[in-house]
Every structure is written in C-alpha cells, then in structure tokens.
Amino acid sequence: MAKNLVIVESPAKAKTIENYLGKDFLVASSYGHIRDLVKKDKGIEIENHFKPIYKIPEDKKNVVKELKKLAQKADTIWLATDEDREGEAISWHLKEALELSDNKIKRIVFDEITKKAILEAIKNPRGINYNLVNAQQARRVLDRLVGFELSPILWKKIRTKLSAGRVQSVAVRLIVEREREVDAFVPESRFKVVGLFSFTDEQGNPQQLKAELARFLKDEKEVEDFLRKCSTADFVIEDVEKKPFKRSPAAPFTTSTLQQEAARKLRYSVSRTMLIAQKLYEAGYITYMRTDSVNLSDFALDAAEQAIKNDFGNKYHHRRTYQTKSANAQEAHEAIRPTDISRETITASKDEKALYELIWKRAIASQMSDAEIERTTIKIFAKGLNDQFTAKGEVILFDGFLKVYLEDTDEENAENGDEGILPPVIKGLNLKMESITATERFTRPPARYTEASLVKKLEELGIGRPSTYAPTISTIQKRCYVHKEEQQGKEREYRVITLQHNGKLTKETKTEITGADKGKLFPTDIAAVVTDFLNQHFPEIMDYQFTARVEEELDEIALGKLEYEAMLKEFYDPFHKKVIGTNDVERPDTERILGTDPSTGLIVSVRLARFGPVAQKTDPKNPEAKPFYAPLRKDQKLETITLEEALDLFKLPRVLGEYEGKEVVAAIGRFGPYIKHDGKFISIKKQYDPFTITLDEAIQVIDAKRVSDSEKYIKVFDEDPSYQILNGRWGPYLKAGKKNIKLPKDRDPNTFTFEEMLKLAEESNSSSKSKKKSK
C-alpha cells in the first residue's frame, strides 16, 4: 500500500496527477464536496456563534467510507484540492469527516496540473488556511440565511417555489431595470447625411471619396433646406490630418473576461465556458480557471517570449506585466493561460479545442508588440454653408499583436462611419459632388444584457466573485426569473432623401426590422413582481453597494482582518427583524386594469396567475361570475400590454375548420400554442402563430406529427399491443405497459420475440424489487 494518499476533488484531476507521482503515491478523488449544511433549522446554530451544522449526504457516504480506509493505511495525507476558498473548505471538510490529525495531513496547492507544478507543491506543503475556510463558510451561511428566510416570504406573499438570494436577486434586479429602460425608451428620428464626391488624382485616375456630415439633421424640412443649398455649393478639402497611434493588447484572461470573450467569439454560455475550462484544467492544458488576477509568472513570460520570437520574429515581442484593477483581487496567483505556451492547439473535443485556442491567443497576444496604425481624417468644407463633411480611414503600418488576436466588445449602439483605406488627397483639392444622401435613423434603447455583459456589470459593481458568476446566471434562468430568447423585431419605415449631381431631389420610403434581439436575457413577469417586492421590503439586500460591501467583508475574513461571527451578526440581526416584520405585509397586487371590452362591457385586466400571466374579463355587475381567462403570449408583459392586444388573446381558441370529419382548433395552453384534432393535442412549432395559422398549415402540422410518431415504432407485438419496441432519445427501448426498459445494445431490436420481451420485463421487475428491498 502506498505511504502517501493524495486527495483531489475530481477523478479526471486524479488521473492526470497520478501520472506525475511515483509508486509511493496513491491519488483518490472526493468527487467535490463531501459535506453540506443540513436542511433542518437552516443548518445553522445562530445562537451558537452562527455555527454551521454539516452532514455527509447519502450519495457521498460510500466515498467517505472508501477514503477513510485509504487514509488509515497511509502515513501522510496530501490534501490537493483547488487553491481558492472553495478548495480550502473541501480540504477542511476532508480533515473533519475523515478524522485526520494535523500531524498526518499536508495541504498543497498549484495553479496548473503539470509535473513541474505538482512536484514543486509536494516540496512546499502548508497547513489548512482557516481564514479562507471561514470566508467560504461565511458566504455559505450568509446565503443560506438569506435564501431560507426570504424564500418562504415569497411563497406566502407571491407564489410557491420561488427563491431569493443575496447575489441572484440583485442580478435579476439589473435585468428587470434594464428591461424597463427599454420599455420606457421613445426613439427619436434624425437624419444621417453622407456625401459621395469624385476627383481626378495626380496620375489622372478617377477617384471617389465618401464622407459624413459632422452633425445630424433633425427633420425632413431641415434636410431639404440643407440639400438645396448643397446643390449650388462648392466642396473643397480643407484639411488632411494623419495621426499615428498605437493599439495595445488586452491582458490575459481572468475568469470574468474569459466568460465574456467566449460568449462573444464562441457563443458559449457562461456555465458552458466554465465546464469546458474545468476539463482543460483537469487535463493539464491550462492554469486554474477561477481567478481575478492578470499576472503571468516569470516562467510563462519567458516561454511566451521564446514562442513569439520563434513564430513571428523579435520585433513582435514586447514583455508586459499587467496590474489587476480590482483592489480585492484574490485567490489564484496567475491569469488563465496554457500550461505549455509553445502548444498552439490540442487534441480534444471541438469545444475544448476552440476554448483552448482562444486562451492561447489571448495569452500570446498579451506579450506582443503594439499595433502601429495611421489614422487619416479628411475634412471637406462646403463653401457658403459653414458645414463640414468628414472622411476617416485607418492604415495598419505594423500589425503587432493583431497578427494573433483582437478583443471583441459588447457595444451595439455606436453609429460609426465607414472606416477604411482612403484615396490619396491634398489640402485645397476641389471635389465634385456626385450625390448626398440623408437617411433617417432612430436612436436606440439601451442594449439588453447578454450573459457576457451581465458578468461585466456584476464585476464592475463588485458583486460576486469569479466562482459565483456562472452559478448565479444559471440559477436565475432555472428559477424562471430570466430566459434567453430570440425576439423577431418589427418592421419600421424610414425615409431616404437624395440629392443627385444634377440638383434633383428624390425621396424614398424603405423598411427595416427594429427591435430584433438574439441571445439576450429577458426578465419574466414574476421577476418584475419579486424585484419590486424585495426592493420595497428589503432594500438593503437589493442595494448594489451593500452587496458589493459584503464581498469586501468576505475578502477581509479571508485575509484574517475580520471575524466570521462579527460580520454575520452585523448583517443578520437587522435582517431577521425585517423578515419577522413582513408577516403583516399584504400580498402585492399584480392586477392591472386595461379598460372595457367595447363589445361586451366586461372589464379587461391582466394579472399574475398560478401558471403565469393572464388576461381576464370580469363582469362589473356580477362580481361572483367566473371570469374569462386567456394566457399572455411569450413576448407580452403585464407592464406593457395594451387593451387591444389583450382583447386579441380572447380570440383563442380558434376553430380553423374540419379535417377528416373532425374539428381543428388552434389555442394556447399552459405549455404553449397547440393544435387540437381528434382528441389529440399537437404542439405548434415556432414558425406558426395560433392567431394566424391557417387550416392548411394546421393539417401539415397534424400529418407531420403522425409521420414522426410512426417513425418511433420499431415493433408492436400482436400478442399484447401494450408491449412495443420504440426508438427513444437514448436508443431503442421496450415499452411494457407504463414501464420503459432499455434494450441491449448488441441486439437488433427487430429480432426480439414476444417471449424474450416478457422475460426482459420480468427481469426488470425483479431487479426493481431487489433494489427497493436493499434500501
């Protein structure tokens, strides 16, 4: 038996590390946390200095039992969990659950899984850092107190199964407030003016130059007046300004910048990015992926220098060190980088390969020379108008880091002119006006949050830490406070007025799609109701500065500057008093009266019902009469729906006609729009709208569903039709009455006999009974 037992969190990590250590070391996995807070009484003895009460979950008891056996046989236990607070807490839980003495354990940390890093860690063990453990416990206890005390209030006052959280509720508030800004925004029209000019260069070649008026024009009258003056104006180049400037590369990735850039460049969700990064780390490809540091080690800087000089030449290298902007940056010692910078790509899954290459490019680019760019600005003066047109262009003199990488941005609302290579011109050159076009443009509302921009905002406000962004964003979507969707947008007209070179004015009306959004975070109606309720009764919890201050106090606990109990007591006592005070608070009234149905005289309103937002019609003369209900569409909101839109909802269900002698009906139910025919309910795909779908389209849906259902059936047994072999998501399976039984992979499902099916069902029943008995 090995004298040394190394315990890590994941089997993948264990396998990688075991390759680097000799026969005297055995590497085992704890499979993450082995203890958690009990559910009873919040899992915290509040009166006993906020002592957490832990237990080993059922699914971890065998893991702990096996680790205990291994620990008893080993001379030294090396706790090699991650180097952040969560990893430190796991090491402490292992010490407590396995009943390990201090003289038997050694704590080691490393920010990359390489042979050099592992052996270096073995040479430099330390004890468990209880300040980090206390900081992790303080966060866990604080979040448990907030969640367990606020959530029941929401169940009682709004709806069951709702949840609240110290960080999640603030994140939802950001999204709700942004949506309200979008709803309140009133677009203003203005005209962007672009001129097309021509001239002959010194070689006698015809050239064209496009330039933009330095201001917007407010309305059609101002445009026409301006263009008429332009028809008789002379245009001359007043100035040609060339300015060299340098563009510097971005710092290597932190957790948050990796999440943002992977979302922009690879279209990965935050949780997907972290899952892939975890695999890359455990396989030894990258350094630890939860960090807010932008530093690179001397080893990495030297390796980057060698790689850049070898691949691109000496002039492309520029050694750089970066400073972390956040004063509270902590936990890992390095930015996220490849463990072997000379390795440009890896052999792995498509997703892992793409993320690795993104990390490699960012790390390499951070150590490359500035890009040298010449920016040219040409100013064209319209004589007699006192107005100026401007043309801008850029020429890359030396590409530098741009040879490898350019950072993306989230900016959506900039109205930049066209920038490119400009023709050679000189000051004083006279230009011929070919055309001047004024195009109506509309101001845009603030952009809705994407996962990437939400992470950026949370980081700017100091809310959460690298390890919390992904679970927070996942949680608010799972709780149905927020959803990602594609919004189609609406058609809008805009005007184009053009002055031709012959002085003729032409007018056109064109159309464009406005309001289309893809991959954005939209709040649900319940999110708005919960946010308003918490803002009203728990303003401290929802306050951005308060939430950021809590993070700072957790950092202070990690540094040993603040006591665990003092921090929790200062927060909990006033918070708990407010919780008790909400017993007398009335339920929020979500009903919004829109007006009266002109055809019936019934009052039309919208409100939040048990299964979501609904429109309802009530009889003011007979309050006891049952209201008529209609669910709101996905793109409609309680706060913005109009009376006309609500009345349209009552047009469902729609009878479309008959098919095969049976009525065809379009409607919306709890699970979305559907077609009803012959007693069957068929979900409508996205391309159809229940309000506009035709009978022919509905018949196509019905027939397609029949074909789809028929393709599921592989075999039906005549001896007993309740026994069927079907194609499922995970392969062929036997449907025996209400039970589904997976079939062996090595058999053709068509060859099974009815007797074999009976035997398979009997074996499955016996297996189920024995499992229940053993439990």
Side-chain angles (χ1 to χ4, degrees):
M1 179 66 196
K3 294 179 180 179
N4 297 278
L5 174 65
V6 181
I7 305 178
V8 296
E9 302 104 312
S10 77
K13 192 176 176 183
K15 190 176 180 182
T16 309
I17 292 173
E18 205 162 43
N19 293 332
Y20 300 135
L21 298 171
K23 58 180 173 34
D24 290 336
F25 288 83
L26 174 68
V27 185
S29 170
S30 70
Y31 295 86
H33 273 282
I34 58 165
R35 297 200 305 180
D36 195 10
L37 293 171
V38 300
K39 292 283 193 283
K40 187 180 179 183
D41 296 327
K42 304 183 185 73
I44 302 155
E45 292 182 0
I46 294 169
E47 301 303 324
N48 186 16
H49 313 290
F50 295 92
K51 180 185 176 183
I53 309 301
Y54 295 105
K55 75 167 186 175
I56 299 169
E58 284 297 321
D59 63 338
K60 287 299 177 74
K61 285 186 176 177
N62 286 337
V63 174
V64 172
K65 187 178 177 182
E66 184 61 28
L67 288 175
K68 267 189 177 180
K69 280 183 188 176
L70 296 174
Q72 287 165 1
K73 296 175 184 177
D75 295 336
T76 305
I77 315 299
W78 301 81
L79 301 175
T81 52
D82 289 342
E83 62 175 329
D84 57 10
R85 296 174 194 172
E86 208 70 29
E88 205 71 25
I90 291 174
S91 281
W92 175 72
H93 284 299
L94 284 166
K95 174 184 179 295
E96 296 294 308
L98 304 182
E99 299 172 349
L100 303 174
S101 59
D102 286 330
N103 60 3
K104 196 174 181 178
I105 63 171
K106 290 184 179 180
R107 172 79 171 111
I108 56 172
V109 294
F110 37 83
D111 65 354
E112 61 182 60
I113 304 177
T114 59
K115 187 171 185 178
K116 180 177 180 292
I118 302 301
L119 296 179
E120 190 66 28
I122 294 287
K123 289 179 188 175
N124 298 284
R126 61 168 172 81
I128 292 173
N129 185 330
Y130 287 97
N131 289 331
L132 292 180
V133 174
N134 286 338
Q136 189 274 343
Q137 286 194 108
R139 179 189 291 280
R140 187 80 180 89
V141 167
L142 193 61
D143 290 345
R144 173 60 72 89
L145 290 171
V146 172
F148 271 50
E149 296 210 1
L150 281 188
S151 297
I153 296 171
L154 299 181
W155 303 344
K156 188 177 177 183
K157 302 297 181 183
I158 300 175
R159 188 204 282 176
T160 58
K161 297 184 180 179
L162 292 175
S163 71
R166 184 181 57 84
V167 176
Q168 89 172 47
S169 296
V170 174
V172 172
R173 177 188 172 186
L174 280 169
I175 295 166
V176 168
E177 289 182 344
R178 177 57 56 86
E179 189 67 20
R180 284 173 173 165
E181 287 178 41
V182 172
D183 290 338
F185 183 82
V186 179
E188 295 179 1
S189 98
R190 54 191 184 174
F191 285 82
K192 175 182 176 180
V193 180
V194 176
L196 181 63
F197 306 94
S198 64
F199 65 96
T200 303
D201 65 18
E202 292 178 347
Q203 285 73 41
N205 298 317
Q207 299 281 1
Q208 285 193 329
L209 179 63
K210 188 182 285 189
E212 186 178 325
L213 188 67
R215 64 189 177 95
F216 288 99
L217 303 183
K218 63 181 180 180
D219 55 34
E220 192 169 334
K221 182 180 182 306
E222 188 179 5
V223 168
E224 290 184 15
D225 289 345
F226 175 79
L227 293 180
R228 286 193 182 96
K229 290 176 183 176
C230 284
S231 65
T232 57
D234 294 321
F235 297 91
V236 63
I237 292 179
E238 186 180 43
D239 189 28
V240 180
E241 184 181 73
K242 293 188 177 183
K243 275 189 178 179
F245 75 98
K246 293 182 178 181
R247 183 177 290 167
S248 299
F253 281 130
T254 62
T255 302
S256 105
T257 55
L258 175 64
Q259 291 169 350
Q260 292 171 50
E261 196 72 342
R264 291 186 289 240
K265 276 191 160 65
L266 304 176
R267 299 290 181 261
Y268 291 170
S269 68
V270 168
S271 57
R272 183 180 175 192
T273 296
M274 293 311 293
L275 188 65
I276 298 166
Q278 179 86 34
K279 290 179 181 178
L280 291 173
Y281 168 66
E282 290 175 351
Y285 289 129
I286 64 170
T287 53
Y288 192 53
M289 67 288 160
R290 291 190 182 92
T291 174
D292 47 17
S293 170
V294 290
N295 297 325
L296 292 177
S297 65
D298 288 338
F299 166 78
L301 292 172
D302 292 341
E305 180 177 355
Q306 185 177 351
I308 292 165
K309 287 180 177 178
N310 288 345
D311 291 348
F312 308 108
N314 290 358
K315 67 177 181 178
Y316 278 92
H317 176 257
H318 182 95
R319 194 181 185 98
R320 300 172 190 272
T321 55
Y322 293 88
Q323 295 297 318
T324 303
K325 292 178 183 177
S326 169
N328 299 308
Q330 38 75 32
E331 315 218 90
H333 304 297
E334 267 199 275
I336 303 169
R337 63 164 175 84
T339 54
D340 180 1
I341 287 180
S342 66
R343 180 165 49 198
E344 291 185 29
T345 189
I346 58 172
T347 303
S349 71
K350 183 182 176 183
D351 285 354
E352 289 168 32
K353 187 178 178 182
L355 191 65
Y356 175 84
E357 289 174 1
L358 187 67
I359 293 167
W360 181 86
K361 286 178 181 178
R362 178 82 165 221
I364 281 287
S366 75
Q367 296 305 305
M368 292 179 72
S369 303
D370 290 339
E372 296 176 13
I373 298 168
E374 184 180 76
R375 179 173 288 162
T376 302
T377 303
I378 300 172
K379 295 178 181 177
I380 301 168
F381 183 66
K383 290 181 180 178
L385 287 179
N386 291 324
D387 263 306
Q388 192 176 172
F389 286 81
T390 304
K392 293 181 179 179
E394 287 184 357
V395 176
I396 296 174
L397 304 177
F398 173 63
D399 52 3
F401 76 94
L402 293 176
K403 199 171 191 75
V404 174
Y405 180 85
L406 177 63
E407 184 181 28
D408 282 357
T409 69
D410 290 311
E411 296 303 318
E412 296 182 4
N413 292 344
E415 293 192 52
N416 296 325
D418 295 328
E419 293 196 2
I421 297 175
L422 300 173
V425 295
I426 57 171
K427 184 177 178 180
L429 180 67
N430 290 312
L431 302 174
K432 179 185 176 185
M433 185 270 292
E434 296 292 337
S435 66
I436 298 177
T437 302
T439 305
E440 187 177 22
R441 286 289 172 248
F442 296 85
T443 53
R444 298 182 186 178
R448 291 183 174 91
Y449 287 108
T450 61
E451 288 195 5
S453 60
L454 181 61
V455 165
K456 186 178 180 181
K457 186 65 176 179
L458 290 170
E459 188 178 39
E460 284 174 0
L461 293 172
I463 296 167
R465 286 294 179 261
S467 60
T468 65
Y469 298 135
T472 296
I473 291 172
S474 294
T475 297
I476 61 178
Q477 291 180 70
K478 285 176 186 173
R479 303 293 187 202
C480 296
Y481 286 129
V482 172
H483 56 94
K484 271 196 290 190
E485 70 174 48
E486 184 175 342
Q487 186 166 285
Q488 298 300 320
K490 297 175 181 177
E491 196 172 72
R492 174 176 64 190
E493 290 186 345
Y494 68 97
R495 293 165 290 173
V496 179
I497 305 171
T498 304
L499 171 67
Q500 305 294 345
H501 65 87
N502 58 7
K504 184 180 178 182
L505 278 182
T506 61
K507 295 182 182 181
E508 289 180 274
T509 299
K510 297 185 177 182
T511 59
E512 63 183 358
I513 300 298
T514 180
D517 256 333
K518 190 174 183 180
K520 299 296 179 65
L521 298 174
F522 290 79
T524 59
D525 284 305
I526 195 70
V529 173
V530 169
T531 296
D532 289 342
F533 181 83
L534 293 177
N535 268 336
Q536 182 181 352
H537 300 290
F538 297 92
E540 297 87 358
I541 293 292
M542 301 296 281
D543 181 67
Y544 301 136
Q545 291 182 342
F546 168 78
T547 311
R549 192 164 64 250
V550 168
E551 297 294 348
E552 292 170 2
E553 290 177 349
L554 291 170
D555 292 341
E556 288 180 9
I557 293 173
L559 295 170
K561 296 179 180 179
L562 183 63
E563 288 295 321
Y564 165 92
E565 183 186 358
M567 182 263 192
L568 290 172
K569 188 172 179 59
E570 182 185 1
F571 164 80
Y572 182 71
D573 288 350
F575 168 70
H576 185 61
K577 284 179 183 174
K578 285 212 167 186
V579 169
I580 294 170
T582 57
N583 289 331
D584 300 326
V585 169
E586 291 185 3
R587 292 172 64 93
D589 183 7
T590 63
E591 186 175 12
R592 179 171 160 250
I593 295 174
L594 304 179
T596 304
D597 181 355
S599 62
T600 63
L602 299 179
I603 300 296
V604 182
S605 62
V606 288
R607 67 179 182 86
L608 200 61
R610 184 182 175 191
F611 296 118
V614 296
Q616 65 180 27
K617 288 183 180 181
T618 52
D619 188 347
K621 298 176 183 176
N622 184 9
E624 302 300 320
K626 188 177 179 181
F628 299 97
Y629 296 106
L632 267 61
R633 302 172 67 164
K634 266 192 171 182
D635 59 348
Q636 293 175 327
K637 291 176 279 197
L638 290 176
E639 294 181 359
T640 57
I641 189 172
T642 64
L643 174 63
E644 291 73 20
E645 290 168 338
L647 287 172
D648 280 343
L649 297 172
F650 291 96
K651 293 177 181 177
L652 296 181
R654 287 173 60 224
V655 177
L656 306 181
E658 287 192 357
Y659 179 49
E660 298 173 341
K662 304 285 174 65
E663 196 173 62
V664 180
V665 177
I668 296 180
R670 181 182 170 191
F671 302 107
Y674 64 87
I675 294 293
K676 183 182 178 185
H677 175 254
D678 195 16
K680 293 180 180 177
F681 299 84
I682 306 163
S683 179
I684 298 178
K685 292 182 179 178
K686 281 185 179 179
Q687 64 262 41
Y688 295 117
D689 186 325
F691 290 92
T692 59
I693 190 170
T694 65
L695 178 61
D696 287 342
E697 289 169 338
I699 290 170
Q700 289 177 24
V701 171
I702 294 165
D703 289 345
K705 175 66 174 170
R706 287 174 178 173
V707 171
S708 172
D709 287 346
S710 68
E711 288 173 350
K712 289 181 183 177
Y713 288 90
I714 296 175
K715 193 171 186 178
V716 178
F717 293 93
D718 294 334
E719 295 91 337
D720 186 345
S722 68
Y723 281 75
Q724 305 159 0
I725 298 180
L726 306 174
N727 252 328
R729 185 179 177 187
W730 311 114
Y733 66 95
L734 168 67
K735 182 175 175 63
K738 293 183 178 180
K739 192 163 187 178
N740 296 334
I741 303 162
K742 195 173 181 180
L743 295 179
K745 288 183 179 179
D746 56 353
R747 280 282 301 271
D748 180 350
N750 286 293
T751 63
F752 280 96
T753 65
F754 182 64
E755 287 71 25
E756 286 177 311
M757 288 296 96
L758 289 174
K759 187 179 178 183
L760 198 62
E762 190 178 335
E763 288 172 354
S764 177
N765 286 331
S766 299
S767 174
S768 299
K769 286 177 183 176
S770 62
K771 282 181 182 177
K772 286 180 182 177
K773 194 173 180 181
S774 64
K775 284 184 179 179

